[in-house]
Amino acid sequence: MDSTQISRFSLFITVFSCILAFSFGDNSSSTDAHWLLRIKSKLVDPAGVLESWSPRAHICSWNGLTCSHDEAFVIALNLSASTLSGSIPTELWNLVSLQTLDLSLNLITGSIPPEIGRLRNLRTLILFANNLSGKIPTEIGLLKKLQVLRIGDNMLAAQIPPSIGNLTELRVLGLAYCQLNGSIPAEIGNLKNLVFLDLQHNSLSGFIPAEIHNCEELQNFAASNNMLDGEIPASIGKLKSLLILNLANNSLSGSIPPEISGLSNLQYLNLLGNRLNGEIPWELNHLVQLQKLDLSSNNLSGTINLLNIHLQNLQVVVFSNNALTGSIPSNFCLKNSNLQQLFLAQNKLSGGFPLGLLNCSSLQQLDLSNNNLEGELPPTIDKLEKLTDLLLNNNSFNGSLPPEIGNMSNLENLYLFDNMITGSIPVEIGKLLSLSTIYLYDNQMSGSIPMELTNCASLTAIDFFGNHFSGSIPETIGKLKDLVLLQLRQNDLSGPIPPSLGYCKKLQQLALADNKLSGSLPATFRFLSQLSTITLYNNSFEGPLPDSLYSLRNLKIINFSHNKFSGTILPLTGSNSLTALDLTNNSFSGSIPSRLAISTNLRRLRLANNLLNGSIPSELGQLKELIFLDLSFNNLTGEVPSQLSTCQKLQHLLLNDNHFTGKMPSWLGSLHDLGELHLSSNNFQGQVPAELGNCSRLLKLSLHTNNLSGQIPHEIGQLTSLNVLNLQRNNLSGSIPPTIQQCKKLYELRLSENLLSGPIPSEIGKLTELQVILDLSRNLLSGEIPSSLGDLLKLERLNLSFNRLGGELPSSLGQLTSLVMLNLSNNHLRGQLSSTFSGFPPTSFSGNDKLCGPPLTSCMDSAGHENNILSSTAVVCIIVAIVFTSTVICLVMIYIMLRMWCNMREVLISNSSEGGGNGIEQIKREDQERWMYGDEKKRKGEYWRVMSSMALVPSQNHDDHISSSCIFQVKIDTKKLGI
């Protein structure tokens, strides 16, 4: 081969090599282009960020791509914040030259495929803020060159794979705001080049691995808002490069390790919201670079021993919500301190206002609220001239507000509520032109509200609730153009509402209740277009409501109760935003306006104790959100409209003390959320609807003083949540249903003044929560008092009077030691009372004639009384017997004497006949007759004496003179009468 041929061959080889080289390079980029176009077809691109991806343009000019220096390969793909959606395309894993992949801040879904392990050249992988789910693939540990891994703010779950410890070049690991669980793998300690570790807002649990101390380059460690427990490892103090340590809101326990003082470069330490205890270690004073320290919401105790002389860079200290005691050290602050925020709220600090804090001249926010601090506020408090927020509420500060507080010209928020501050508001308060919020409620302040307060033109919120301020509301209140909240409730303010208040056009909440304000509402209220809440109750406002109120369309809560307003309520019906309207205890008249139905969000409607008349408008049934309806104590008439049955959220329905008629609606049983039903003192008729048993959440059922009849429905037992049942003063009949035993939460039961009959069911004894009263009086109940009533151990009042109860009083009633009132009077009870009832008055048992024992007469006296009655009867019988016997004996003796006399008479007469009729005998005879008949002038009372004399005269002739000489012959000689 000659030299010419050799030259030609060499030129061919050179050209061929160039062609091969060119062809090879072009083929690599064209291959990447092929896969990228496939990737484009798989993603949804509403913003058109991939429009430049076209075969007509060079690949290196495509949006989001970075090529190698020789433009042979795509080494970076950055499509962050492009609103792309869809899953990660599988074609992506063919871009093996990729060093950077950033798809963050998109809407990518699905999981991270395990094929990601094929991108071995990857140094940066950023996928945060998408909707990725599933677990972190183990294959991610194959990316040995990876330096930045940020895949947080997704829905990734499961554990952190231990293979992540293979990424020894890793400097940034961001896994925050996911749903990762399990423990922090110990292999994390292999990441010796790690600078940034963010694990916060997951569900990680277990201990912080002690191996973390091997991450010697670590500057930022954030694992807050997890469920980590155990103690903070002392080895964490070896992370000399650490600048930020955030372990907030976990369940870490034990004490703060003193070794943490070894973090000499630490600037931010946040351990809030754990279970740390013990004292704050004094060694924290060695953290001389510390700027922010938050140890709040733990169980730390002891005194505060951190001193600003060591921590001169400290700007923020937060120790709130612990159990720290003692006082703040007097040398806590240097005069040239950088401390700007000091929060020590909700501890147990004591003593006076810490004067050492007055050296913190740079202090902007001071919160000492909810402690045990006391004493007066120092006049030198104005040394804190940069202070914007002063929170001293919920302590025991007393004395008056120092006038020097007016020199704190930067003050924006002043919270002094819930103390014992007295005196008046100093007029110097008007110098605080930056003041936005002043809360002085729940103190003992008095005097008038100074007009100078209205010079604080930046005020947005005033709350003076619960003091003793008097006088009138400042006339110049309208100067506060930015005022949003005005709370003056529970004071002694008087006079009318100043008209200028209507010019506080940004006012949203106005609370003037519980004062002595009077007059009518100013017409300027029409300018309060942003007003949402107005409470004026418990004042002396009067007159009709101004029509201008109708224009307040943003009103949500209105409470004008307990005033003297009159007229109609129509001006308050213009807001369709209304959620609560309370006008109770006024003198409103007329009918209930149907326009209330436009307030479809109304939840509470209270119009009780007014002079409203007419019927309930059926349009109220459109109030689907209504929970509380109180129309009681008015003059409403008619029937309850059935449209109210559509108010299915009703929990309180109070229609008592009106003049409603008709039957009690059965649709009430469809109101399943009903907790209180009060229909008493009306003219309802018919039966108690059985459907009420469907109101299983009912706590109070009061139907008393109506004309209800029929039986108490057995379904009443389905009201198992019932606390109060009052059916008294009706015409209910039949027996008390035994199903009432199922109402086991009853503590008040009133069934008196009805026509109930039959025995008291023993099942009532199972109502062991009965406490207020059991009243079954004035019915027709019979039988014995069941002994089971003795199980009602909480009962305080028992009334069974005016029934037909009989039998003995059960001894079990003696167990009712809580009774303060007992009335069993006017029944048919008998037997002896237990001594436990001796403390009750006799009227408790009167009208039971056969009942004895204290407080009635003793049973022995009663028995003695009965014995006395029997003895008297016996005495009478004996006396009668004696008298009768004596009479019989006397009559017998008289009879015998008369027989003897008659016999003797006959003998004398016979002798006289035989002896002749000489004068002497005649004289004797005349004398005999005188003795026999006596002197006519003798008194009849001497008759028996004559008869006795006759017995001494002997008879002369028995046969001839018997009729004239024996005056008792008719009675004693029966033979002469032919008997």
Side-chain angles (χ1 to χ4, degrees):
M1 183 179 293
D2 57 18
S3 59
T4 303
Q5 291 177 328
I6 293 173
S7 299
R8 288 177 178 174
F9 180 74
S10 300
L11 179 62
F12 172 76
I13 293 297
T14 303
V15 172
F16 183 72
S17 300
C18 290
I19 292 172
L20 282 177
F22 178 79
S23 299
F24 182 79
D26 185 65
N27 187 52
S28 297
S29 59
S30 64
T31 300
D32 286 351
H34 167 75
W35 295 121
L36 288 167
L37 289 174
R38 292 280 300 274
I39 290 170
K40 175 184 177 181
S41 67
K42 298 290 182 66
L43 294 174
V44 179
D45 179 21
V49 295
L50 303 181
E51 288 182 358
S52 63
W53 288 23
S54 170
R56 294 187 298 272
H58 193 276
I59 186 174
C60 295
S61 66
W62 292 3
N63 181 41
L65 296 185
T66 302
C67 294
S68 59
H69 292 298
D70 57 4
E71 298 186 348
F73 307 100
V74 175
I75 60 173
L77 175 58
N78 187 348
L79 297 175
S80 176
S82 299
T83 67
L84 298 172
S85 60
S87 58
I88 298 176
T90 56
E91 291 80 2
L92 192 60
W93 317 128
N94 293 304
L95 303 177
V96 293
S97 298
L98 273 182
Q99 299 177 14
T100 298
L101 175 59
D102 188 351
L103 299 178
S104 62
L105 298 165
N106 281 292
L107 302 171
I108 307 296
T109 57
S111 61
I112 301 175
E115 290 82 0
I116 198 169
R118 293 165 54 182
L119 303 179
R120 302 295 178 88
N121 290 307
L122 209 58
R123 289 174 172 79
T124 301
L125 176 58
I126 303 177
L127 302 176
F128 71 85
N130 279 287
N131 294 318
L132 296 170
S133 56
K135 63 179 183 179
I136 301 173
T138 304
E139 290 77 4
I140 207 165
L142 300 175
L143 307 179
K144 299 293 183 64
K145 296 181 180 180
L146 204 61
Q147 297 178 6
V148 176
L149 176 59
R150 298 183 62 191
I151 56 177
D153 200 3
N154 279 289
M155 293 183 288
L156 298 171
Q159 300 185 2
I160 301 173
S163 62
I164 211 163
N166 297 331
L167 308 178
T168 54
E169 298 296 321
L170 202 62
R171 296 178 58 82
V172 175
L173 177 57
L175 305 178
Y177 295 94
C178 287
Q179 299 171 15
L180 300 172
N181 52 44
S183 59
I184 302 173
E187 288 78 3
I188 208 87
N190 298 336
L191 308 180
K192 300 186 181 299
N193 294 307
L194 198 63
V195 174
F196 183 94
L197 176 59
D198 190 358
L199 305 176
Q200 58 188 341
H201 287 277
N202 279 288
S203 298
L204 298 172
S205 57
F207 298 166
I208 299 173
E211 291 81 357
I212 199 169
H213 77 272
N214 294 323
C215 305
E216 297 178 354
E217 302 296 323
L218 196 61
Q219 297 180 11
N220 187 332
F221 177 29
S224 62
N225 295 282
N226 280 284
M227 296 184 289
L228 300 173
D229 52 25
E231 297 185 355
I232 300 173
S235 59
I236 208 168
K238 297 180 180 180
L239 300 175
K240 304 294 184 181
S241 301
L242 203 61
L243 302 176
I244 297 174
L245 177 59
N246 186 357
L247 303 177
N249 294 319
N250 281 284
S251 297
L252 299 171
S253 57
S255 58
I256 300 173
E259 290 82 359
I260 210 167
S261 62
L263 306 176
S264 54
N265 292 304
L266 197 65
Q267 299 176 8
Y268 178 93
L269 175 59
N270 191 348
L271 302 179
L272 82 88
N274 281 284
R275 300 175 183 174
L276 300 171
N277 52 40
E279 297 187 359
I280 300 173
W282 187 89
E283 288 80 0
L284 293 186
N285 284 301
H286 296 155
L287 303 177
V288 293
Q289 301 298 324
L290 200 61
Q291 298 177 13
K292 297 181 179 180
L293 174 61
D294 192 344
L295 306 180
S296 61
S297 298
N298 280 285
N299 299 317
L300 298 173
S301 57
T303 59
I304 298 174
N305 51 21
L306 296 183
L307 302 177
N308 192 235
I309 55 175
H310 303 291
L311 306 176
Q312 298 184 16
N313 291 307
L314 204 57
Q315 298 176 11
V316 178
V317 174
V318 187
F319 291 167
S320 302
N321 198 18
N322 278 288
L324 299 174
T325 56
S327 58
I328 299 172
S330 58
N331 56 350
F332 182 80
C333 263
L334 295 174
K335 289 187 177 180
N336 297 323
S337 166
N338 290 314
L339 192 64
Q340 298 175 9
Q341 297 173 316
L342 177 60
F343 300 101
L344 304 178
Q346 293 184 333
N347 279 285
K348 299 178 181 179
L349 300 174
S350 57
F353 183 91
L355 298 179
L357 294 183
L358 299 179
N359 293 325
C360 304
S361 56
S362 59
L363 203 60
Q364 297 176 12
Q365 294 176 305
L366 175 61
D367 187 356
L368 302 178
S369 62
N370 292 92
N371 278 287
N372 299 321
L373 300 173
E374 57 188 3
E376 299 185 4
L377 298 181
T380 53
I381 196 170
D382 58 347
K383 287 186 177 180
L384 302 175
E385 55 186 19
K386 293 183 179 180
L387 205 64
T388 60
D389 300 289
L390 178 59
L391 289 79
L392 303 178
N393 52 283
N394 296 93
N395 279 287
S396 298
F397 290 114
N398 54 39
S400 58
L401 285 181
E404 290 80 3
I405 203 168
N407 299 328
M408 304 172 71
S409 57
N410 291 302
L411 199 61
E412 298 176 6
N413 297 295
L414 178 59
Y415 292 1
L416 299 176
F417 60 88
D418 204 359
N419 278 285
M420 295 185 289
I421 297 175
T422 57
S424 59
I425 301 174
V427 295
E428 289 80 2
I429 203 84
K431 295 161 60 177
L432 302 179
L433 302 183
S434 298
L435 193 63
S436 174
T437 303
I438 178 169
Y439 285 173
L440 303 179
Y441 63 86
D442 283 330
N443 276 287
Q444 300 173 19
M445 303 187 72
S446 57
S448 60
I449 299 174
M451 190 171 296
E452 288 79 3
L453 182 65
T454 62
N455 295 331
C456 303
S458 299
L459 270 175
T460 61
I462 297 175
D463 194 340
F464 294 167
F465 165 82
N467 280 282
H468 304 291
F469 291 117
S470 57
S472 59
I473 300 172
E475 290 289 338
T476 55
I477 192 76
K479 292 167 61 177
L480 303 178
K481 306 296 184 183
D482 293 328
L483 196 63
V484 174
L485 167 67
L486 179 59
Q487 170 64 273
L488 302 178
R489 184 180 154 223
Q490 280 192 18
N491 280 284
D492 296 319
L493 299 172
S494 57
I497 297 175
S500 69
L501 184 61
Y503 301 115
C504 300
K505 295 183 180 181
K506 294 183 180 180
L507 195 63
Q508 296 179 18
Q509 294 178 296
L510 175 61
L512 304 179
D514 295 307
N515 278 286
K516 299 175 182 177
L517 299 170
S518 58
S520 58
L521 300 186
T524 54
F525 265 32
R526 67 182 183 274
F527 301 128
L528 302 177
S529 58
Q530 297 187 34
L531 195 64
S532 64
T533 300
I534 177 170
T535 58
L536 306 179
Y537 58 89
N538 287 339
N539 279 288
S540 298
F541 293 114
E542 58 188 4
L545 299 175
D547 292 337
S548 57
L549 292 179
Y550 190 81
S551 62
L552 304 182
R553 300 301 174 88
N554 291 312
L555 275 173
K556 294 181 179 179
I557 299 174
I558 301 174
N559 193 337
F560 289 178
S561 64
H562 295 85
N563 278 284
K564 300 176 183 178
F565 288 116
S566 58
T568 69
I569 64 176
L570 193 61
L572 297 176
T573 61
S575 173
N576 55 9
S577 302
L578 204 59
T579 61
L581 175 61
D582 191 344
L583 304 178
T584 56
N585 287 92
N586 279 283
S587 298
F588 289 110
S589 57
S591 59
I592 300 173
S594 58
R595 277 192 55 83
L596 278 172
I598 71 169
S599 302
T600 53
N601 293 314
L602 195 62
R603 295 167 60 85
R604 297 174 64 88
L605 177 58
R606 305 193 65 182
L607 305 178
N609 289 90
N610 280 285
L611 304 173
L612 300 173
N613 53 39
S615 59
I616 300 176
S618 59
E619 288 83 357
L620 293 190
Q622 301 173 26
L623 303 176
K624 309 296 185 185
E625 301 298 318
L626 200 61
I627 292 176
F628 203 121
L629 177 59
D630 185 0
L631 306 179
S632 61
F633 294 96
N634 279 287
N635 298 316
L636 299 172
T637 57
E639 296 187 0
V640 181
S642 60
Q643 288 82 356
L644 286 183
S645 63
T646 60
C647 302
Q648 287 292 302
K649 295 184 179 180
L650 262 180
Q651 297 177 12
H652 304 268
L653 179 57
L654 287 75
L655 306 179
N656 54 289
D657 292 273
N658 279 285
H659 305 293
F660 292 116
T661 56
K663 292 185 177 181
M664 193 159 288
S666 59
W667 52 258
L668 290 169
S670 67
L671 303 178
H672 295 157
D673 287 340
L674 204 60
E676 181 180 14
L677 178 59
H678 204 341
L679 305 181
S680 59
S681 298
N682 280 288
N683 296 314
F684 289 113
Q685 299 175 349
Q687 298 184 343
V688 177
E691 289 81 359
L692 284 178
N694 298 326
C695 302
S696 57
R697 298 183 181 179
L698 205 59
L699 301 176
K700 181 177 181 179
L701 176 59
S702 183
L703 308 179
H704 71 81
T705 319
N706 278 287
N707 296 316
L708 300 174
S709 57
Q711 296 186 345
I712 300 174
H714 287 269
E715 289 79 2
I716 207 80
Q718 298 172 204
L719 304 179
T720 53
S721 299
L722 202 61
N723 297 147
V724 176
L725 176 59
N726 190 343
L727 303 179
Q728 64 187 12
R729 299 195 190 104
N730 280 287
N731 297 315
L732 299 172
S733 57
S735 59
I736 300 173
T739 54
I740 202 169
Q741 66 175 309
Q742 299 169 22
C743 305
K744 296 187 181 298
K745 295 183 180 180
L746 269 178
Y747 61 78
E748 181 176 342
L749 177 58
R750 299 176 187 264
L751 304 178
S752 63
E753 298 184 61
N754 280 287
L755 303 172
L756 299 173
S757 58
I760 299 174
S762 61
E763 289 83 357
I764 285 185
K766 296 182 179 180
L767 304 177
T768 53
E769 293 300 315
L770 272 178
Q771 179 176 352
V772 176
I773 192 171
L774 171 59
D775 189 354
L776 306 179
S777 64
R778 298 184 184 275
N779 279 287
L780 305 174
L781 298 172
S782 57
E784 296 186 351
I785 298 175
S787 60
S788 60
L789 294 190
D791 296 330
L792 307 178
L793 301 180
K794 297 180 181 179
L795 194 62
E796 296 176 354
R797 291 186 291 172
L798 175 62
N799 192 348
L800 305 179
S801 62
F802 290 95
N803 278 288
R804 300 175 179 177
L805 301 172
E808 295 187 355
L809 205 61
S811 59
S812 59
L813 291 188
Q815 301 171 185
L816 304 181
T817 55
S818 298
L819 276 182
V820 294
M821 189 280 282
L822 175 65
N823 193 348
L824 304 178
S825 64
N826 295 287
N827 279 286
H828 305 302
L829 301 172
R830 58 183 173 80
Q832 182 174 355
L833 290 172
S834 169
S835 60
T836 55
F837 298 114
S838 59
F840 293 101
T843 53
S844 296
F845 310 98
S846 62
N848 293 282
D849 295 334
K850 297 183 179 181
L851 206 57
C852 64
L856 302 176
T857 57
S858 69
C859 293
M860 291 187 64
D861 291 343
S862 178
H865 180 64
E866 292 181 2
N867 290 334
N868 289 337
I869 293 174
L870 292 174
S871 298
S872 299
T873 302
V875 169
V876 170
C877 291
I878 292 171
I879 292 173
V880 170
I882 292 172
V883 170
F884 177 76
T885 304
S886 300
T887 302
V888 170
I889 292 172
C890 289
L891 290 174
V892 169
M893 292 180 67
I894 291 172
Y895 171 74
I896 293 171
M897 291 175 67
L898 286 174
R899 289 284 296 175
M900 292 175 63
W901 180 82
C902 288
N903 291 334
M904 291 176 64
R905 176 68 176 165
E906 290 176 358
V907 171
L908 289 174
I909 292 174
S910 177
N911 293 336
S912 175
S913 298
E914 295 175 356
N918 55 39
I920 297 174
E921 291 296 330
Q922 183 65 32
I923 294 172
K924 289 183 178 178
R925 189 177 298 116
E926 290 177 357
D927 190 55
Q928 171 78 29
E929 291 176 358
R930 189 173 71 246
W931 282 102
M932 180 190 305
Y933 300 106
D935 194 347
E936 291 181 355
K937 296 181 181 180
K938 280 192 178 289
R939 299 189 305 272
K940 293 182 179 180
E942 298 173 342
Y943 179 74
W944 288 103
R945 199 183 316 168
V946 173
M947 293 297 297
S948 298
S949 301
M950 290 173 60
L952 302 175
V953 179
S955 177
Q956 299 295 322
N957 190 335
H958 177 72
D959 293 331
D960 295 338
H961 303 282
I962 189 69
S963 61
S964 61
S965 62
C966 187
I967 62 173
F968 285 103
Q969 188 64 33
V970 175
K971 293 185 177 180
I972 60 178
D973 195 351
T974 57
K975 291 181 181 181
K976 296 285 184 174
L977 297 175
I979 299 175

